[in-house]
Amino acid sequence: MTSAQPLIGEHLALDLVNTRPLTEGGRADLLGTPEQLAAWLGLEPELEAEVGEATPTAADVAAVQLVRTQVDAVVQALLRGGPAPRPALQALTEAQRGAPAVRELTWDGAAVIATTRRQGTLGVRLAARLAEAAADLLTSPAAVRLKECEADDCVMLFVPAHPRRRWCSSARCGNRVRVSRHYHRHKPTDAVRRDQ
């Protein structure tokens, strides 16, 4: 079983989808509460500008979960070789429209600087930023390289940097699979056990 800890370090859109790992009790939701969302946001430096000092609410959780559902629908369709579902693509486009990015220009005393800002509640801003990240991933060459972890009990997604990568994380699933294979190769057979 996959750990109920967030798998981070992939593309932001995949980090979002990977907040639904498979556990012994089924699929977990690592963004089910405002506290869980706040913890995940603290692990994602790309979202720091959207969060600022805001504290997530239940409405923010719902907005992020909705984007996650749409990204997952598109990614799953691509993994299965099918067309991306139009309603999911439309929902991601609408999420981006909810809080478009504006580059705010200011003078810092020595030069003009640009800071990207969005208007709206935290949930609307996060939904827009996450939908934008999904658009970046889904329209990039990396989209055709998307993979699901090959461990039987894992559903995590990743874009392999190396074509031979098979697991979401060597430490998370790779070691577990290798230990299991080693055990099955070296465990005594029933015949050997009866002779002893």
Side-chain angles (χ1 to χ4, degrees):
M1 285 295 134
T2 300
S3 166
Q5 296 298 315
L7 178 65
I8 58 167
E10 290 295 329
H11 188 282
L12 180 59
L14 293 181
D15 281 0
L16 176 64
V17 172
N18 285 337
T19 59
R20 295 264 306 141
L22 189 60
T23 64
E24 288 180 13
R27 295 290 291 260
D29 186 352
L30 303 181
L31 302 180
T33 67
E35 295 77 21
Q36 288 174 311
L37 177 57
W40 181 73
L41 292 171
L43 298 172
E44 295 290 351
E46 289 182 62
L47 297 174
E48 188 175 325
E50 300 306 331
V51 178
E53 299 296 316
T55 302
T57 65
D60 302 330
V61 170
V64 170
Q65 288 175 334
L66 181 60
V67 170
R68 179 181 61 190
T69 299
Q70 304 312 322
V71 175
D72 189 44
V74 175
V75 168
Q76 292 302 322
L78 295 177
L79 285 171
R80 307 298 176 251
R86 182 182 303 275
L89 295 175
Q90 290 171 335
L92 291 171
T93 300
E94 287 304 311
Q96 291 178 77
R97 283 190 183 123
V102 175
R103 295 184 68 201
E104 183 178 284
L105 301 174
T106 57
W107 178 257
D108 73 354
V112 175
I113 58 170
T115 306
T116 301
R117 302 242 192 258
R118 297 174 196 273
Q119 297 294 311
T121 65
L122 176 60
V124 169
R125 293 191 322 267
L126 287 173
R129 176 63 183 97
L130 292 166
E132 183 180 88
D136 291 344
L137 172 67
L138 298 170
T139 60
S140 76
V144 298
R145 296 190 342 252
L146 286 168
K147 287 185 77 172
E148 189 171 59
C149 183
E150 290 184 21
D152 291 338
D153 56 357
C154 185
V155 294
M156 298 291 106
L157 303 170
F158 61 94
V159 176
H162 188 280
R164 291 180 54 191
R165 181 176 171 194
R166 301 174 56 200
W167 300 294
C168 61
S169 164
S170 183
R172 181 175 269 206
C173 287
N175 287 342
R176 190 170 37 84
V177 170
R178 286 189 287 271
V179 166
S180 177
R181 284 186 192 150
H182 178 81
Y183 171 77
H184 289 299
R185 276 195 311 266
H186 294 93
K187 76 176 186 178
T189 62
D190 288 337
V192 173
R193 276 188 244 143
R194 276 186 247 124
D195 289 342
Q196 294 178 347

